[in-house]
């Protein structure tokens, strides 16, 4: 255990499961990783929010923008936790240019810097939503193009950010490797976070050498774990 708390604001609980396993590679216990948004239950701050946006890209954006009075309840809630000074913001980039704000992707075809450029643009957008606040507290989990592409690095020895439908391909790999909800005796309606935490652990994402090996096949995963190492160097 590290004795520190990491809070997560993400698109979905599945993302939280993957991120929790990654932090285990750096000495964190799963109890030290706390879900802020989406949580396991809707709290008072969500009662006047469109429930469709709580666990989505829009939900992350709303958390960053905060209330009309400039208060950001999710961030304040996270930093009120004892020993919590760090918040992970997770966003997939698959549909980032289909939302209610202007976003222009960098050129993808033939651009070896596509992932780095896209990640940089997304971070700029997040920082703008936050008015530059919390910079010292943030870790950016920018999944290019989806967090399933990170998971695919355990099976595919190629650049998984270029795979067109990572969710579909990952599902096939999990089925062939007997890593389905049914095999793990979990309910897909209520155990999504636990499921992704367990399958990524079985893929050995919690082992630092394996995680580093996998990160060679997805630049955005590599950038995320590099940011963890900067904040939490091995002793």
């Amino acid at each position: 255990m590290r004795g520190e708390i990491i809070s997560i604001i993400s698109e979905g609980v599945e993302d939280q499961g993957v991120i929790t396993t990654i932090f285990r590679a750096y000495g964190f216990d799963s109890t030290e990783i706390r879900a802020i948004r989406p949580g396991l239950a809707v709290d008072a701050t969500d009662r006047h929010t469109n429930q469709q946006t709580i666990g989505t890209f829009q939900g992350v954006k709303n958390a960053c923008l905060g209330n009309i009075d400039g208060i950001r309840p999710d961030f304040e809630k996270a930093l009120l936790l004892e020993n919590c000074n760090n918040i992970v913001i997770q966003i997939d980039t698959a549909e980032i240019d289909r939302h209610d704000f202007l976003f222009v992707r960098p050129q993808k075809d033939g651009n070896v810097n596509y992932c780095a450029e896209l990640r940089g643009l997304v971070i700029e957008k997040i920082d703008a939503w936050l008015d530059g606040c919390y910079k010292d507290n943030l870790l950016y989990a920018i999944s290019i193009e989806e967090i399933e592409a990170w998971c695919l690095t355990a099976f595919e020895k190629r650049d998984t950010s270029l795979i067109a439908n990572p969710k579909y391909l990952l599902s096939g790999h999990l089925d062939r490797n007997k890593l389905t909800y049914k095999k793990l005796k979990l309910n897909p309606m209520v155990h999504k976070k636990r499921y992704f935490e367990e399958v990524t652990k079985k893929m050995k994402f919690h082992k630092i050498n394996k995680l580093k090996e996998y990160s060679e096949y997805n630049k955005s995963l590599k950038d995320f774990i590099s940011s963890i190492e900067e904040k939490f160097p091995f002793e």
Side-chain angles (χ1 to χ4, degrees), residues 2-234:
R2 281 274 191 165
E4 298 185 59
I5 299 299
I6 304 292
S7 293
I8 303 177
I9 295 173
S10 65
E11 290 192 25
V13 294
E14 303 96 322
D15 309 298
Q16 295 166 1
V18 175
I19 291 168
T20 296
T21 304
I22 289 173
F23 270 99
R24 288 175 66 97
Y26 293 93
F28 287 86
D29 186 84
S30 59
T31 60
E32 296 175 312
I33 313 301
R34 306 290 176 83
I36 300 297
R37 177 174 295 263
L40 296 180
V42 177
D43 63 24
T45 64
D46 295 318
R47 288 176 185 163
H48 302 292
T49 301
N50 179 349
Q51 300 300 297
Q52 295 297 319
T53 70
I54 292 173
T56 62
F57 183 102
Q58 190 65 40
V60 176
K61 180 189 172 189
N62 290 348
C64 293
L65 290 173
N67 300 332
I68 57 173
D69 56 4
I71 303 299
R72 297 176 173 87
D74 289 331
F75 288 81
E76 298 305 315
K77 177 181 177 181
L79 295 176
L80 282 173
L81 295 172
E82 187 176 1
N83 297 323
C84 179
N85 293 303
N86 295 281
I87 303 170
V88 174
I89 298 182
Q90 183 277 328
I91 281 179
D92 289 343
T93 61
E95 299 183 355
I96 194 170
D97 45 0
R98 301 180 189 176
H99 290 275
D100 60 347
F101 56 90
L102 179 64
F103 188 88
V104 180
R105 288 177 179 271
Q107 174 66 31
K108 186 172 185 177
D109 292 342
N111 182 3
V112 296
N113 296 315
Y114 170 75
C115 287
E117 291 174 6
L118 178 56
R119 183 176 190 272
L121 291 172
V122 174
I123 290 172
E124 285 181 12
K125 184 63 70 174
I126 291 170
D127 288 344
W129 293 335
L130 288 168
D131 295 321
C133 299
Y134 308 106
K135 277 195 172 185
D136 292 339
N137 306 106
L138 299 182
L139 288 154
Y140 303 93
I142 312 301
S143 316
I144 301 175
E145 301 285 352
E146 297 175 298
I147 207 161
E148 285 82 1
W150 289 9
C151 299
L152 276 174
T153 59
F155 305 107
E156 298 283 334
K157 303 311 175 189
R158 53 176 167 145
D159 186 349
T160 62
S161 68
L162 300 177
I163 293 173
N165 193 339
K167 282 185 172 69
Y168 177 79
L169 188 58
L170 179 63
S171 178
H173 280 297
L174 295 177
D175 186 56
R176 287 189 293 275
N177 285 274
K178 296 182 171 54
L179 293 174
T180 62
Y181 279 96
K182 185 176 181 179
K183 289 291 184 182
L184 296 179
K185 299 180 180 179
L186 297 174
N187 184 337
M189 299 301 295
V190 295
H191 294 142
K192 288 183 179 179
K193 178 180 182 292
R194 181 178 166 189
Y195 172 70
F196 272 84
E197 189 174 345
E198 288 197 18
V199 295
T200 48
K201 186 176 179 182
K202 288 182 181 297
M203 296 175 200
K204 302 190 185 304
F205 271 75
H206 66 304
K207 300 291 187 181
I208 189 64
N209 290 338
K210 277 293 184 183
L211 180 61
K212 285 180 173 292
E213 175 189 326
Y214 297 156
S215 73
E216 294 299 319
Y217 299 103
N218 189 291
K219 180 67 165 60
S220 62
L221 172 59
K222 188 172 188 176
D223 287 340
F224 178 53
I225 68 172
S226 293
S227 70
I228 296 174
E229 291 170 0
E230 288 177 13
K231 285 240 180 187
F232 306 102
F234 283 109

